[in-house]
Amino acid sequence: MAEISIVPIEAPRGTLLSAALRSPSFVTGAIVTAIFVGVALLSFVWTPYDYAALDIPHKLRGLSGEHWFGTDQYGRDVFSQVIVGARTSIAVALIAVGLGVGIGTPLGLWAAAKRDTIFDELIMRANDLVFAFPALLIAILITSVAGPSATNAVIAIGIFNIPVFARLSRAAALSLWARDFILAARVAGKGRARISIEHILPNILNTLVVQITIQFSLGILAEAALAYVGLGAQPPTPSWGKMLADSQTLVGLAPHLAIIPGLCIVFTVLGLNLMGDGLRDIFDPRLQRSRQ
Amino acid sequence: MSSYLAGRVASLILSLLVASIVIFVILEVLPGDPAQFILGMNARPDTLAALRTQLGLDGPAFMRYFGWVLGMLHGDFGLSYTYRVPVSELIVQRIGVSLPLAVYALALTLLIAFPAGLLAAARRNSASDISVMGVTQLGVALPNFWFAIILVWVFAVTLHWFGAGGFPGWDKGFWFGIRALTLPAIALALPQASILARVMRSALLDTLEEDYIRTARAKGLTRAQTLWRHAVRNALIPVLTIIGLQFAFLLAGGIIIENVFTLPGLGRLIFQGITQRDLIVVKSVVMLLVFAVIFVNFLVDLSYLAVDPRLRRR
């Protein structure tokens, strides 16, 4: 694998917020993401109906003032299920990203600090191996072996986030190690571990934040796929993927059951992607030329 | 060139070795006894023990691992517990659906992504560039299985242009097979084409900033000639990498789409194997797909040699 040179992203602090507000993709993405995170949080304290309450006489109703997103084949309120489902999707994707950052970044920083040693080589080769695996296939294998559950979905998705962050952190850190202020820190007698934490990490945070938004959106998609094949959160916990699986045979009869959870996935992912694009442009104005 | 090649081959073999160990270990810890599953809950202990011996389940783990790997090297994948036929036979049947589906989807992906990416890069900031970027932004966010359900709703349930699922078999005629694979291939291709078009555009835009492009323009080539003769070829390396990953994804990722359309491919074979505790089927099919993915990536690495002459001198 060719060495990818990643120049760490730096931005003048004071102008960050105003630059962010001037980026249309960031603003749109942030608003959409905030709405979904907002309703997910809201579902902890309020849902219009109990998401699991059956009401067979009112099954398969369309959109109405009473049931905003209609009802499913058991008469359960779709809006309530969707907002509780948002909670599942966001939680699974977020923790999976956390796993990737939590393990991958220290590994990458360590590899960069020990550049060209056996540690560096081992960590990077292990990363290449994980990259070579078809992620979804192995995630399916892991969840079916360990038993389908939200926790196992988190682990199965999280494992594939580790090499992403390890590789990114290493590449970003390597270019920093050549800089004068790091040399100054070394001359001042700081160890490699301390330099990594005190000087390298703060300077690669922007790069990490951009990647976190991207992996977050991929996590939402992966969680939905696993839940769709029945390997995510188990009923009665609603999840968007599971709702889609249930809607499939009813699509001729009640298309809203398929359309609504699908649109939720699309908008959440779109929001996160736009936010990521916007953040990248804000942090790294050099890229703007080729992106616009 | 030879050191590049040797490095790639070594990493190919190492990847396959590690992959086989990982798959074997994951399935070793899978709860549930295949013998129990075949004979049912009321089976007598001595019958169970006999079947376990017959299935080769009671040897030490590393012996079974070597037996499995050596068998595969000879094309012998073992006997399916539930179907009672050689796994290789099942694979041959099922690959006749999965492989054409992946190839079909890849062809659609390239057919959509290349013109879109070229157009967007050639007319940067124009209305066509903006619409390509907008549509692909949406395409990237699209879960393919949801898109598949929507396609079924529109084109199968409502318009009756295609069947909602199932596969008639190639012996019914080539066009019947193609027709059954069309909706699944579109569902797989559109999100992938969105990714590829964006990669294509940004790779082209990067090369268009290079000095040799300015030279080409200065010596009198038109924009279109420069783009075609100088930029496209140099932009191919990142594009090829992504195409390789995408083909691998289409092969392995087709398994979910196969479930949406109840296509009798490798994906359904895996899911059936998992529910029936038919470990030998799961193990072998997953290994085969992982092999395909790793091998495609290897071929991509080799194709760099064709695109980038600098690598040939190493």
Side-chain angles (χ1 to χ4, degrees), chain A residues 60-61 67 75 90 127 150 169 178 192 197 221 262 269 275:
Chain A
L60 297 178
R61 290 291 162 88
H67 292 281
I90 291 172
N127 273 323
S169 309
R192 284 173 179 273
I197 296 167
L221 283 174
V269 173
M275 207 164 91

Side-chain angles (χ1 to χ4, degrees), chain A residues 1 129 132-133 136-137 140 144-145 224-225 228 244 248 251 255 258-259 262 265-266 269-270 274 277 289-290 292, chain B residues 8 15 18-19 26 30-31 124-125 137 141 143 145-146 153 157 198 201 205 209 252 255-256 260 274 282 289 293:
Chain A
M1 193 83 196
L129 271 174
F133 275 83
L136 191 62
L137 190 63
I140 285 173
S144 55
V145 167
Y228 173 75
L244 284 177
Q248 204 181 327
V251 73
I259 294 172
I265 300 172
V266 172
V269 173
L270 198 60
L274 285 174
D277 281 359
R289 278 175 307 147
S290 60
Q292 275 180 359
Chain B
R8 291 296 98 195
S15 306
V18 176
I26 291 180
L30 184 75
R124 186 158 139 204
N125 291 336
Q137 184 73 264
F145 61 91
W146 177 63
W153 173 48
V157 178
R198 293 175 83 86
R201 174 183 179 274
L205 289 182
E209 309 239 307
I255 62 182
I256 286 187
V260 179
I274 288 172
V282 178
L289 287 175
V293 169

Side-chain angles (χ1 to χ4, degrees), chain A residues 183-205:
Chain A
L183 188 65
R186 295 189 62 183
V187 171
K190 289 189 182 178
R192 284 173 179 273
R194 203 169 147 201
I195 292 176
S196 292
I197 296 167
E198 286 179 12
H199 299 288
I200 308 270
L201 188 60
N203 281 298
I204 66 170
L205 270 185

Side-chain angles (χ1 to χ4, degrees), chain A residues 39-153:
Chain A
V39 294
L41 292 176
L42 178 72
S43 75
F44 281 105
V45 290
W46 175 83
T47 53
Y49 295 84
D50 176 2
Y51 65 81
L54 308 184
D55 182 12
I56 307 285
H58 295 105
K59 65 175 184 179
L60 297 178
R61 290 291 162 88
L63 283 55
S64 68
E66 210 174 324
H67 292 281
W68 296 342
F69 287 171
T71 61
D72 71 0
Q73 68 273 36
Y74 303 115
R76 293 176 296 188
D77 183 52
V78 174
F79 183 77
S80 306
Q81 289 188 60
V82 160
I83 63 175
V84 179
R87 198 157 87 188
T88 318
S89 277
I90 291 172
V92 168
L94 202 61
I95 303 171
V97 174
L99 204 67
V101 180
I103 301 176
T105 302
L107 280 179
L109 289 178
W110 194 38
K114 301 255 177 190
R115 180 177 194 178
D116 292 334
T117 63
I118 186 89
F119 299 107
D120 183 22
E121 191 64 22
L122 262 177
I123 290 172
M124 292 326 285
R125 288 293 83 79
N127 273 323
D128 285 349
L129 271 174
V130 181
F131 260 125
F133 275 83
L136 191 62
L137 190 63
I138 300 300
I140 285 173
L141 204 60
I142 292 173
T143 39
S144 55
V145 167
S149 72
T151 319
N152 290 334

Side-chain angles (χ1 to χ4, degrees), chain B residues 202-224:
Chain B
S202 75
L204 274 171
L205 289 182
D206 282 347
T207 39
L208 284 175
E209 309 239 307
E210 300 279 349
D211 290 339
Y212 57 79
I213 297 291
R214 203 180 318 132
T215 312
R217 290 279 284 148
K219 75 177 187 189
L221 292 186
T222 64
R223 266 191 75 88

Side-chain angles (χ1 to χ4, degrees), chain B:
Chain B
M1 179 170 171
S2 56
S3 74
Y4 177 79
L5 209 59
R8 291 296 98 195
V9 172
S11 100
L12 171 75
I13 293 170
L14 189 68
S15 306
L16 288 177
L17 199 68
V18 176
S20 64
I21 294 173
V22 169
I23 292 168
F24 187 82
V25 169
I26 291 180
L27 288 176
E28 268 309 281
V29 295
L30 184 75
D33 179 0
Q36 186 95 58
F37 193 88
I38 295 168
L39 294 174
M41 293 310 285
N42 301 322
R44 284 174 28 216
D46 53 332
T47 340
L48 276 176
L51 184 63
R52 263 189 223 119
T53 317
Q54 196 199 327
L55 294 174
L57 288 172
D58 51 2
F62 74 92
M63 286 303 288
R64 278 179 289 134
Y65 171 75
F66 282 115
W68 175 56
V69 171
L70 285 178
M72 279 195 299
L73 290 177
H74 293 106
D76 173 15
F77 290 80
L79 215 62
S80 158
Y81 304 153
T82 43
Y83 295 94
R84 304 255 124 228
V85 291
V87 177
S88 51
E89 216 169 90
L90 287 173
I91 289 175
V92 169
Q93 282 170 13
R94 304 301 186 96
I95 213 163
V97 177
S98 295
L99 191 63
L101 177 60
V103 172
Y104 191 1
L106 186 70
L108 288 180
T109 303
L110 298 180
L111 222 58
I112 302 168
F114 265 80
L118 265 172
L119 183 74
R123 309 232 173 110
R124 186 158 139 204
N125 291 336
S126 69
S128 41
D129 181 22
I130 292 165
S131 38
V132 165
M133 289 307 276
V135 172
T136 52
Q137 184 73 264
L138 203 66
V140 172
L142 213 59
N144 58 19
F145 61 91
W146 177 63
F147 186 46
I149 296 174
I150 299 299
L151 287 176
V152 167
W153 173 48
V154 175
F155 293 105
V157 178
T158 312
L159 295 172
H160 299 290
W161 290 0
F162 294 94
F167 188 72
W170 293 108
D171 46 346
K172 287 274 189 314
F174 178 72
W175 291 110
F176 283 103
I178 288 292
R179 193 174 155 169
L181 293 183
T182 297
L183 288 186
I186 295 173
L188 278 170
L190 204 73
Q192 296 303 311
S194 303
I195 298 173
L196 190 62
R198 293 175 83 86
V199 172
M200 179 93 192
R201 174 183 179 274
S202 75
L204 274 171
L205 289 182
D206 282 347
T207 39
L208 284 175
E209 309 239 307
E210 300 279 349
D211 290 339
Y212 57 79
I213 297 291
R214 203 180 318 132
T215 312
R217 290 279 284 148
K219 75 177 187 189
L221 292 186
T222 64
R223 266 191 75 88
Q225 281 170 325
T226 326
L227 193 71
W228 197 242
R229 286 195 210 156
H230 296 275
V232 170
R233 191 181 163 115
N234 283 293
L236 269 183
I237 285 227
V239 173
L240 272 175
T241 312
I242 301 292
I243 292 176
L245 288 174
Q246 288 191 317
F247 185 65
F249 173 86
L250 290 171
L251 254 186
I255 62 182
I256 286 187
I257 291 294
E258 282 175 14
N259 268 286
V260 179
F261 291 94
T262 54
L263 293 173
L266 293 174
R268 288 198 45 91
L269 192 60
I270 291 179
F271 278 109
Q272 285 164 352
I274 288 172
T275 42
Q276 295 161 342
R277 291 285 172 267
D278 200 343
L279 297 195
I280 190 82
V281 168
V282 178
K283 197 156 65 176
S284 304
V285 178
V286 170
M287 188 61 216
L288 185 79
L289 287 175
V290 170
F291 170 79
V293 169
I294 293 176
F295 192 68
V296 168
N297 288 336
F298 170 74
L299 290 182
V300 169
D301 282 346
L302 290 195
S303 72
Y304 294 159
L305 287 175
V307 184
D308 189 349
R310 283 169 301 182
L311 284 173
R312 274 177 242 160
R313 269 181 262 120
R314 273 212 257 155

